[in-house]
Amino acid sequence: MSVITTSIETLHLKSTLRLLPRAVYRSQRIQVFPPNTFSSFSLSSPLRIDPISQGIGSRNLWRRYASDNFSEMGLDPGADSSKVIEKASIVDTMKKANSILPHVVLASTILALIYPPSFTWFTSRYFVPALGFLMFAVGINSNEKDFLEAFKRPKAILLGYVGQYLVKPLLGFIFGLAAVSVFQLPTPIGAGIMLVSCVSGAQLSNYATFLTDPALAPLSIVMTSLSTATAVLVTPMLSLLLIGKKLPVDVKGMISSILQVVIAPIAAGLLLNKLFPKVSNAIRPFLPILSVLDTACCVGAPLALNINSVMSPFGATILLLVTMFHLSAFLAGYFLTGSVFRNAPDAKAMQRTLSYETGMQSSLLALALATKFFQDPLVGIPPAVSTVVMSLMGFTLVMIWSNEKEKNI
């Protein structure tokens, strides 16, 4: 049996096949005429191929082929090549970096209590660089696209800010005053509790939100970033207001320190990510494990260095006061949000997010400030205890609320 084609049709077929990738051509050329194509034709009935229209040339055939196959792979052949492979978002990075962080926090706590020398080498002079590295990691993993949707909810952002710098400091003042007047603890202990309440939100709140309500993780990041950026002015002023009558507060020194520890590293990470993306991509894979090790030292070292005070007769009282402070902050954030967003379709998710944001503070920043600006080492004990308590309570709520969501599905 013969197949009749014109010379023009043959030329079009050859040019089309030449444009296909070599591997595709080899694997699919036998399928140009599918099996049994000629079975219904007799030897005397020649098969003609309809002429290819002028509007569909070999280039258009290739585009159609590419569109069909790339679409199956989730790619857009018409898109710009820089958009085909998107940079990892903050949420994706957090998922990799913090997947074992709750276990690390618990393990570091137990190890520091059982065998303090495992962390005593990580002295107070390392606290500021360690916190700066964590801030740098936040900056280098930042992407403005993650925040576009979050900024469409200014009411929620404002409420998170009120929880951070109004509700939380008020609770800190109450528990700090109770520590001195009711429980007869030294004044520096009360000052340490108040200092914890004056600092910005913790990055761990972003990860806690991601675990329970992934859609609101960018909103959590915006709220934490805003409180962190303004901490350079708000934290020293709140510290002066709450602690100034009890202990001297170096406002200028605090502003300078927060600029160096928080603002500068985040800005450096953002600039590196923006100006030198290849360098950022090269070092980004190493940040997760380094951040986990950094956090382990920042959690275990304060406990190990203050083990005598933590295990002293008033250590249990400090633990109780710090726990009650964080519990009150978690509850205040939850119910305050419920009263404001009661009619919102995602009211429960908003309550959980604002609860994390209000209840989880950057206790490491408070510890760094206590170590640098207060002569009495007792000021650093509440922030050291808060680092552990805040993390454990936050991830306990993650487990409770995650199980609750699964039951409701």
Side-chain angles (χ1 to χ4, degrees), residues 124-380:
S124 57
R125 66 177 180 174
Y126 296 121
F127 291 166
V128 170
L131 183 58
F133 175 78
L134 293 177
M135 295 298 101
F136 173 76
V138 171
I140 204 172
N141 286 312
S142 295
N143 185 347
E144 63 276 7
K145 295 180 181 178
D146 294 320
F147 303 117
L148 293 179
E149 288 297 322
F151 276 114
K152 295 180 181 179
R153 309 189 73 166
K155 188 176 180 180
I157 295 175
L158 177 61
L159 186 60
Y161 198 81
V162 169
Q164 278 289 343
Y165 285 133
L166 182 61
V167 175
K168 186 162 57 73
L170 180 61
L171 292 173
F173 179 76
I174 293 173
F175 284 98
L177 195 63
V180 177
S181 59
V182 177
F183 294 94
Q184 302 298 313
L185 294 177
T187 300
I189 297 296
I193 296 175
M194 295 179 187
L195 183 60
V196 170
S197 70
C198 295
V199 295
S200 57
Q203 277 69 39
L204 281 180
S205 65
N206 309 148
Y207 182 57
T209 299
F210 170 69
L211 291 178
T212 50
D213 302 284
L216 293 182
L219 176 63
S220 176
I221 294 170
V222 168
M223 290 189 288
T224 303
S225 300
L226 182 61
S227 67
T228 301
T230 55
V232 65
L233 294 175
V234 178
T235 295
M237 298 307 298
L238 283 174
S239 301
L240 180 63
L241 178 65
L242 300 183
I243 309 173
K245 294 182 180 180
K246 303 178 184 301
L247 295 173
V249 177
D250 184 1
V251 176
K252 292 183 179 179
M254 279 192 174
I255 292 175
S256 176
S257 181
I258 294 174
L259 280 171
Q260 297 173 26
V261 175
V262 179
I263 306 301
I266 290 179
L270 286 170
L271 287 175
L272 184 66
N273 200 27
K274 189 75 174 178
L275 301 178
F276 304 99
K278 292 184 179 180
V279 177
S280 298
N281 292 334
I283 66 176
R284 189 176 289 114
F286 301 98
L287 292 179
I289 186 63
L290 292 177
S291 298
V292 168
L293 294 175
D294 191 348
T295 303
C297 293
C298 290
V299 170
L303 289 179
L305 294 171
N306 297 280
I307 191 66
N308 293 331
S309 299
V310 173
M311 302 302 290
S312 66
F314 58 80
T317 306
I318 297 175
L319 177 62
L320 174 64
L321 287 169
V322 171
T323 302
M324 293 303 298
F325 161 70
H326 282 291
L327 179 60
S328 300
F330 278 116
L331 292 174
Y334 187 84
F335 289 108
L336 178 63
T337 307
S339 64
V340 175
F341 292 98
R342 66 170 65 93
N343 297 323
D346 57 349
K348 285 297 181 181
M350 286 292 297
Q351 285 183 274
R352 291 188 287 264
T353 300
L354 270 295
S355 179
Y356 293 137
E357 198 64 28
T358 308
M360 304 179 78
Q361 292 78 45
S362 183
S363 303
L364 290 177
L365 177 59
L367 181 59
L369 296 176
T371 302
K372 188 170 183 178
F373 296 103
F374 295 92
Q375 295 180 352
D376 197 322
L378 292 179
V379 179

